[in-house]
Amino acid sequence: TQHLLAPQDLTGETVLVTAGPTREELDPMRFLSNHSSGKMGYAIARAAADRGARVRLVAGPTALSTPRGVELRQVVSAREMHAAVMDLASDCSIVVKAAAVADYRPACRQDQKIKKGGESTLSLELQRNPDILAELGQLQGERFLVGFAAETEQLLENARRKLQDKNLDLIVANDLTAEGAGFAGDTNVVRLIYRNGDVEDLPQMSKDQLAHSLLDRIRSRLHGKEE
Ligand code: CTP
Ligand code: CA
């Protein structure tokens, strides 16, 4: 019933959301990944669709079902997510990058299962993945760009640097050590940092409520950007 109650205030907007972790394969049975559940990104996609936006969701592997009215593009690796996002971003007015993208992948994926040898240690060589959000920040065109910053220390400084380096309009700073915050749960506690330097602390709330709060703020700043 949520969609019947939601204001249709994002009608006419096309929103691209990324969600979930990426998986970087080592061999046919193993991968590197992270604890992202995808819940935050899915909540944003669902809320935007309920408010009348056209929504494209690019998601890594999660256990979640696709929200009604959302166009889902499933990906596995960071490089696949990069290709999908670049394919879809150009005609979107809002991009929200909630995905926890792996910064590195194994430098080479083995075709056969890696066997343990006689050594007691094993080193993996890793290769940097493309920074999808930084690349979006350099794209031409008017687009409201929202990033997430997952931090375990120096939340404000680190998030501010990401906002500047990636040329974002808004960054959602997530203190992974805070009570009620983080990947697995249904609630989150965030600090919002805007391009103009404004900082806003939001109280702990459900990921669904946070999704709507974020969309309220994006919507009210969206058209201010062009002025
Ligand atoms: N991001 C991305 N592509 C990557 C890495 C990150 O698009 N290869 C995006 C994430 O989706 C998130 C934002 O960049 O919206 C910040 O991600 P985060 O991991 O917090 O920051 P990094 O820039 O990767 O820096 P670090 O992990 O070193 O803190
Ligand atoms: Ca990272």
Side-chain angles (χ1 to χ4, degrees):
T1 53
Q2 182 69 51
H3 66 291
L4 298 173
L5 305 170
Q8 297 298 295
D9 59 356
L10 292 175
T11 303
E13 306 297 343
T14 301
V15 183
L16 174 61
V17 181
T18 71
T22 64
R23 274 184 194 170
E24 310 299 324
E25 290 192 354
L26 271 163
D27 72 13
M29 58 183 296
R30 303 184 178 104
F31 55 82
L32 302 177
S33 192
N34 59 64
H35 286 300
S36 172
S37 66
K39 286 177 183 170
M40 192 64 244
Y42 271 65
I44 294 166
R46 186 182 315 113
D50 285 347
R51 289 166 72 154
R54 174 166 190 202
V55 182
R56 295 159 169 174
L57 175 62
V58 177
T62 74
L64 305 173
S65 51
T66 313
R68 181 173 20 79
V70 168
E71 298 165 39
L72 177 69
R73 185 83 82 89
Q74 276 185 293
V75 298
V76 176
S77 66
R79 286 191 294 177
E80 285 174 25
M81 183 171 282
H82 175 258
V85 167
M86 292 307 153
D87 185 31
L88 297 173
S90 59
D91 64 341
C92 292
S93 50
I94 300 167
V95 181
V96 183
K97 279 232 70 217
V101 184
D103 294 322
Y104 292 93
R105 65 177 179 273
C108 65
R109 179 194 184 278
Q110 303 297 325
D111 291 335
Q112 305 298 330
K113 182 188 166 196
I114 300 167
K115 302 298 282 182
K116 65 178 179 296
E119 311 295 331
S120 60
T121 62
L122 173 69
S123 302
L124 291 175
E125 194 182 352
L126 302 178
Q127 170 88 48
R128 255 305 253 287
N129 277 326
D131 189 322
I132 305 166
L133 191 51
E135 211 172 304
L136 286 172
Q138 299 309 313
L139 273 189
Q140 295 300 309
E142 202 56 53
R143 207 170 290 104
F144 197 92
L145 203 53
V146 183
F148 276 68
E151 307 292 350
T152 57
E153 58 180 359
Q154 298 186 303
L155 185 69
L156 189 59
E157 298 88 308
N158 283 328
R160 271 202 180 117
R161 188 170 328 113
K162 288 175 191 177
L163 176 109
Q164 280 170 9
D165 289 352
K166 304 188 194 217
N167 194 24
L168 308 180
D169 296 294
L170 167 62
I171 193 155
V172 183
N174 219 325
D175 179 351
L176 295 181
T177 64
E179 182 97 18
F183 282 146
D186 289 315
T187 64
N188 212 346
V189 189
V190 301
R191 170 172 275 192
L192 305 182
I193 303 149
Y194 297 90
R195 182 190 284 274
N196 71 358
D198 288 356
V199 176
E200 185 184 6
D201 282 310
L202 296 184
Q204 181 179 327
M205 58 181 99
S206 73
K207 288 181 177 176
D208 286 323
Q209 288 171 312
L210 177 56
H212 279 289
S213 296
L214 286 175
L215 291 171
D216 291 343
R217 285 153 179 82
I218 292 168
R219 203 190 77 88
S220 71
R221 301 212 177 212
L222 186 56
H223 298 292
K225 201 188 164 186
E226 288 137 32
E227 283 158 18

Short mmCIF file of all heavy atoms in Angstrom, two decimals, residues 18 20 78 81-82 85 96-104 128-136 146-151 158 162 165-166 168 171-172, ligand 1:
data_model
loop_
_atom_site.label_atom_id
_atom_site.label_comp_id
_atom_site.label_asym_id
_atom_site.label_seq_id
_atom_site.Cartn_x
_atom_site.Cartn_y
_atom_site.Cartn_z
N THR A 18 22.51 1.84 -7.74
CA THR A 18 23.30 0.61 -7.67
C THR A 18 23.22 0.08 -6.25
O THR A 18 23.09 0.85 -5.29
CB THR A 18 24.78 0.79 -8.07
OG1 THR A 18 25.46 1.52 -7.04
CG2 THR A 18 24.91 1.50 -9.40
N GLY A 20 24.11 -3.52 -3.46
CA GLY A 20 24.71 -4.83 -3.19
C GLY A 20 26.22 -4.82 -3.29
O GLY A 20 26.85 -3.80 -3.57
N ALA A 78 32.72 -5.96 -10.36
CA ALA A 78 32.80 -4.50 -10.47
C ALA A 78 32.88 -4.08 -11.93
O ALA A 78 32.30 -3.07 -12.32
CB ALA A 78 34.02 -4.00 -9.71
N MET A 81 29.48 -4.18 -13.32
CA MET A 81 28.68 -3.06 -12.81
C MET A 81 29.08 -1.77 -13.53
O MET A 81 28.23 -0.98 -13.92
CB MET A 81 28.87 -2.92 -11.29
CG MET A 81 27.99 -1.81 -10.71
SD MET A 81 27.99 -1.76 -8.91
CE MET A 81 26.86 -3.10 -8.53
N HIS A 82 30.36 -1.60 -13.75
CA HIS A 82 30.87 -0.43 -14.47
C HIS A 82 30.23 -0.34 -15.86
O HIS A 82 29.71 0.71 -16.27
CB HIS A 82 32.40 -0.52 -14.55
CG HIS A 82 33.03 0.55 -15.36
ND1 HIS A 82 33.47 0.34 -16.65
CD2 HIS A 82 33.30 1.83 -15.08
CE1 HIS A 82 33.99 1.46 -17.12
NE2 HIS A 82 33.90 2.40 -16.20
N VAL A 85 26.43 0.49 -15.62
CA VAL A 85 26.18 1.87 -15.20
C VAL A 85 26.48 2.84 -16.34
O VAL A 85 25.70 3.76 -16.61
CB VAL A 85 26.99 2.20 -13.93
CG1 VAL A 85 26.99 3.70 -13.65
CG2 VAL A 85 26.44 1.44 -12.73
N VAL A 96 22.22 7.23 -7.73
CA VAL A 96 22.54 6.95 -6.33
C VAL A 96 23.37 5.68 -6.28
O VAL A 96 22.90 4.59 -6.63
CB VAL A 96 21.26 6.76 -5.48
CG1 VAL A 96 21.64 6.54 -4.02
CG2 VAL A 96 20.33 7.96 -5.62
N LYS A 97 24.63 5.81 -5.84
CA LYS A 97 25.54 4.66 -5.86
C LYS A 97 25.67 4.05 -4.47
O LYS A 97 26.62 4.32 -3.74
CB LYS A 97 26.90 5.09 -6.40
CG LYS A 97 26.92 5.15 -7.93
CD LYS A 97 28.08 4.36 -8.55
CE LYS A 97 27.89 2.89 -8.39
NZ LYS A 97 28.97 2.05 -8.13
N ALA A 98 24.69 3.21 -4.13
CA ALA A 98 24.73 2.56 -2.81
C ALA A 98 25.52 1.26 -2.82
O ALA A 98 25.74 0.67 -1.76
CB ALA A 98 23.29 2.29 -2.35
N ALA A 99 25.96 0.80 -3.99
CA ALA A 99 26.68 -0.48 -4.05
C ALA A 99 28.02 -0.41 -3.32
O ALA A 99 28.68 0.62 -3.30
CB ALA A 99 26.91 -0.88 -5.51
N ALA A 100 28.41 -1.53 -2.75
CA ALA A 100 29.74 -1.68 -2.14
C ALA A 100 30.63 -2.38 -3.17
O ALA A 100 30.67 -3.61 -3.24
CB ALA A 100 29.64 -2.49 -0.85
N VAL A 101 31.26 -1.56 -3.99
CA VAL A 101 32.03 -2.07 -5.12
C VAL A 101 33.41 -2.53 -4.62
O VAL A 101 34.07 -1.81 -3.89
CB VAL A 101 32.22 -0.96 -6.17
CG1 VAL A 101 32.95 -1.50 -7.40
CG2 VAL A 101 30.89 -0.34 -6.56
N ALA A 102 33.82 -3.72 -5.05
CA ALA A 102 35.17 -4.17 -4.67
C ALA A 102 36.21 -3.26 -5.31
O ALA A 102 36.16 -3.00 -6.51
CB ALA A 102 35.38 -5.61 -5.14
N ASP A 103 37.13 -2.77 -4.50
CA ASP A 103 38.17 -1.88 -5.04
C ASP A 103 39.19 -2.66 -5.88
O ASP A 103 39.82 -2.10 -6.76
CB ASP A 103 38.90 -1.18 -3.89
CG ASP A 103 37.99 -0.22 -3.14
OD1 ASP A 103 37.16 0.44 -3.81
OD2 ASP A 103 38.09 -0.13 -1.90
N TYR A 104 39.35 -3.93 -5.56
CA TYR A 104 40.36 -4.77 -6.24
C TYR A 104 39.76 -6.10 -6.66
O TYR A 104 38.84 -6.60 -6.03
CB TYR A 104 41.53 -5.06 -5.30
CG TYR A 104 42.36 -3.85 -4.97
CD1 TYR A 104 42.07 -3.10 -3.83
CD2 TYR A 104 43.42 -3.45 -5.78
CE1 TYR A 104 42.83 -1.98 -3.51
CE2 TYR A 104 44.18 -2.35 -5.47
CZ TYR A 104 43.88 -1.61 -4.34
OH TYR A 104 44.62 -0.51 -4.03
N ARG A 128 43.50 -3.15 -9.38
CA ARG A 128 42.47 -2.14 -9.10
C ARG A 128 41.31 -2.23 -10.07
O ARG A 128 41.51 -2.40 -11.27
CB ARG A 128 43.07 -0.75 -9.28
CG ARG A 128 43.39 0.04 -8.06
CD ARG A 128 42.34 0.28 -7.06
NE ARG A 128 41.91 1.65 -7.11
CZ ARG A 128 42.64 2.66 -6.66
NH1 ARG A 128 43.83 2.49 -6.13
NH2 ARG A 128 42.18 3.88 -6.75
N ASN A 129 40.11 -2.09 -9.53
CA ASN A 129 38.93 -1.98 -10.38
C ASN A 129 38.69 -0.52 -10.75
O ASN A 129 39.16 0.38 -10.05
CB ASN A 129 37.70 -2.51 -9.63
CG ASN A 129 37.58 -4.01 -9.72
OD1 ASN A 129 37.92 -4.61 -10.73
ND2 ASN A 129 37.10 -4.63 -8.64
N PRO A 130 37.93 -0.26 -11.82
CA PRO A 130 37.59 1.12 -12.15
C PRO A 130 36.73 1.73 -11.04
O PRO A 130 35.93 1.02 -10.43
CB PRO A 130 36.77 0.99 -13.45
CG PRO A 130 36.34 -0.43 -13.52
CD PRO A 130 37.34 -1.23 -12.76
N ASP A 131 36.90 3.02 -10.77
CA ASP A 131 36.05 3.72 -9.81
C ASP A 131 34.85 4.28 -10.59
O ASP A 131 34.95 5.28 -11.28
CB ASP A 131 36.81 4.84 -9.11
CG ASP A 131 36.00 5.44 -7.95
OD1 ASP A 131 34.76 5.58 -8.09
OD2 ASP A 131 36.61 5.77 -6.92
N ILE A 132 33.73 3.60 -10.47
CA ILE A 132 32.55 3.90 -11.27
C ILE A 132 32.02 5.30 -10.96
O ILE A 132 31.71 6.09 -11.85
CB ILE A 132 31.44 2.85 -11.02
CG1 ILE A 132 31.98 1.44 -11.27
CG2 ILE A 132 30.22 3.13 -11.89
CD1 ILE A 132 31.08 0.33 -10.73
N LEU A 133 31.96 5.60 -9.67
CA LEU A 133 31.40 6.88 -9.24
C LEU A 133 32.29 8.05 -9.68
O LEU A 133 31.78 9.08 -10.14
CB LEU A 133 31.22 6.86 -7.72
CG LEU A 133 30.43 7.97 -7.09
CD1 LEU A 133 29.08 8.19 -7.76
CD2 LEU A 133 30.24 7.69 -5.61
N ALA A 134 33.59 7.88 -9.56
CA ALA A 134 34.50 8.94 -9.99
C ALA A 134 34.34 9.20 -11.49
O ALA A 134 34.38 10.35 -11.95
CB ALA A 134 35.95 8.57 -9.65
N GLU A 135 34.14 8.14 -12.24
CA GLU A 135 33.96 8.30 -13.68
C GLU A 135 32.64 9.00 -13.99
O GLU A 135 32.59 9.86 -14.88
CB GLU A 135 34.01 6.91 -14.33
CG GLU A 135 34.57 6.94 -15.72
CD GLU A 135 34.79 5.53 -16.27
OE1 GLU A 135 35.51 4.74 -15.62
OE2 GLU A 135 34.23 5.25 -17.34
N LEU A 136 31.60 8.68 -13.23
CA LEU A 136 30.32 9.38 -13.41
C LEU A 136 30.46 10.87 -13.14
O LEU A 136 29.84 11.70 -13.79
CB LEU A 136 29.25 8.80 -12.47
CG LEU A 136 28.68 7.44 -12.82
CD1 LEU A 136 27.80 6.94 -11.68
CD2 LEU A 136 27.87 7.50 -14.11
N VAL A 146 24.81 11.04 -6.21
CA VAL A 146 24.85 10.72 -4.77
C VAL A 146 25.74 9.51 -4.54
O VAL A 146 25.54 8.45 -5.16
CB VAL A 146 23.44 10.42 -4.23
CG1 VAL A 146 23.48 10.18 -2.72
CG2 VAL A 146 22.48 11.55 -4.57
N GLY A 147 26.72 9.65 -3.66
CA GLY A 147 27.57 8.53 -3.28
C GLY A 147 27.35 8.14 -1.84
O GLY A 147 26.73 8.88 -1.06
N PHE A 148 27.85 6.99 -1.49
CA PHE A 148 27.87 6.54 -0.11
C PHE A 148 29.33 6.45 0.32
O PHE A 148 30.19 6.15 -0.50
CB PHE A 148 27.20 5.17 0.03
CG PHE A 148 25.71 5.25 0.15
CD1 PHE A 148 24.93 5.68 -0.91
CD2 PHE A 148 25.08 4.92 1.34
CE1 PHE A 148 23.55 5.77 -0.79
CE2 PHE A 148 23.70 5.00 1.47
CZ PHE A 148 22.94 5.43 0.41
N ALA A 149 29.59 6.69 1.59
CA ALA A 149 30.93 6.49 2.11
C ALA A 149 30.82 5.59 3.32
O ALA A 149 30.18 5.95 4.31
CB ALA A 149 31.57 7.82 2.49
N ALA A 150 31.40 4.42 3.23
CA ALA A 150 31.41 3.50 4.36
C ALA A 150 32.74 3.67 5.07
O ALA A 150 33.80 3.47 4.47
CB ALA A 150 31.26 2.07 3.84
N GLU A 151 32.68 4.09 6.33
CA GLU A 151 33.93 4.37 7.05
C GLU A 151 33.93 3.71 8.42
O GLU A 151 32.87 3.53 9.03
CB GLU A 151 34.09 5.89 7.27
CG GLU A 151 33.98 6.74 6.02
CD GLU A 151 35.12 6.55 5.02
OE1 GLU A 151 36.12 5.88 5.37
OE2 GLU A 151 34.98 7.04 3.89
N ASN A 158 36.92 11.80 5.74
CA ASN A 158 36.98 10.85 4.63
C ASN A 158 35.83 11.06 3.65
O ASN A 158 36.03 11.02 2.43
CB ASN A 158 36.94 9.42 5.15
CG ASN A 158 38.29 8.99 5.72
OD1 ASN A 158 39.34 9.42 5.26
ND2 ASN A 158 38.26 8.14 6.72
N LYS A 162 35.89 12.24 -0.40
CA LYS A 162 35.25 11.48 -1.49
C LYS A 162 34.29 12.36 -2.28
O LYS A 162 34.23 12.29 -3.51
CB LYS A 162 34.51 10.26 -0.92
CG LYS A 162 35.48 9.17 -0.45
CD LYS A 162 34.78 8.00 0.23
CE LYS A 162 35.83 7.12 0.90
NZ LYS A 162 35.24 5.99 1.63
N ASP A 165 36.62 14.57 -4.44
CA ASP A 165 37.39 13.82 -5.44
C ASP A 165 36.49 13.27 -6.54
O ASP A 165 36.90 13.18 -7.70
CB ASP A 165 38.13 12.64 -4.79
CG ASP A 165 39.29 13.11 -3.91
OD1 ASP A 165 39.60 14.32 -3.93
OD2 ASP A 165 39.85 12.26 -3.20
N LYS A 166 35.28 12.85 -6.17
CA LYS A 166 34.38 12.22 -7.15
C LYS A 166 33.38 13.20 -7.73
O LYS A 166 32.52 12.81 -8.51
CB LYS A 166 33.68 11.01 -6.52
CG LYS A 166 34.67 9.98 -5.95
CD LYS A 166 34.02 8.69 -5.49
CE LYS A 166 34.97 7.88 -4.63
NZ LYS A 166 34.86 6.43 -4.84
N LEU A 168 30.75 14.95 -6.39
CA LEU A 168 29.38 14.55 -6.06
C LEU A 168 28.55 15.74 -5.61
O LEU A 168 29.09 16.77 -5.17
CB LEU A 168 29.40 13.51 -4.93
CG LEU A 168 30.31 12.30 -5.13
CD1 LEU A 168 30.22 11.36 -3.93
CD2 LEU A 168 29.95 11.56 -6.41
N ILE A 171 26.92 13.21 -0.39
CA ILE A 171 27.47 11.92 0.03
C ILE A 171 26.81 11.51 1.34
O ILE A 171 26.57 12.34 2.23
CB ILE A 171 29.01 11.92 0.10
CG1 ILE A 171 29.54 10.48 0.23
CG2 ILE A 171 29.54 12.80 1.23
CD1 ILE A 171 30.96 10.30 -0.28
N VAL A 172 26.46 10.24 1.41
CA VAL A 172 25.80 9.67 2.58
C VAL A 172 26.87 8.93 3.35
O VAL A 172 27.36 7.89 2.91
CB VAL A 172 24.68 8.69 2.14
CG1 VAL A 172 23.94 8.15 3.35
CG2 VAL A 172 23.73 9.36 1.16
N1 CTP B 1 32.56 3.29 -5.73
C1 CTP B 1 32.47 3.04 -7.08
N2 CTP B 1 33.42 2.30 -7.71
C2 CTP B 1 34.46 1.77 -7.01
C3 CTP B 1 34.58 2.02 -5.63
C4 CTP B 1 33.60 2.78 -5.01
O1 CTP B 1 31.51 3.51 -7.72
N3 CTP B 1 35.36 1.05 -7.66
C5 CTP B 1 31.53 4.13 -5.07
C6 CTP B 1 30.67 3.41 -4.06
O2 CTP B 1 29.52 2.87 -4.68
C7 CTP B 1 30.31 4.52 -3.08
C8 CTP B 1 31.49 5.48 -3.16
O3 CTP B 1 32.19 5.16 -4.38
O4 CTP B 1 29.15 5.25 -3.49
C9 CTP B 1 32.45 5.40 -2.02
O5 CTP B 1 32.86 4.06 -1.82
P1 CTP B 1 33.89 3.74 -0.66
O6 CTP B 1 34.29 2.31 -0.75
O7 CTP B 1 33.36 4.28 0.64
O8 CTP B 1 35.11 4.70 -1.07
P2 CTP B 1 36.38 4.49 -1.98
O9 CTP B 1 36.44 5.68 -2.88
O10 CTP B 1 36.39 3.16 -2.63
O11 CTP B 1 37.56 4.63 -0.94
P3 CTP B 1 38.05 3.60 0.22
O12 CTP B 1 37.36 2.27 -0.01
O13 CTP B 1 39.52 3.54 0.06
O14 CTP B 1 37.62 4.24 1.52
#
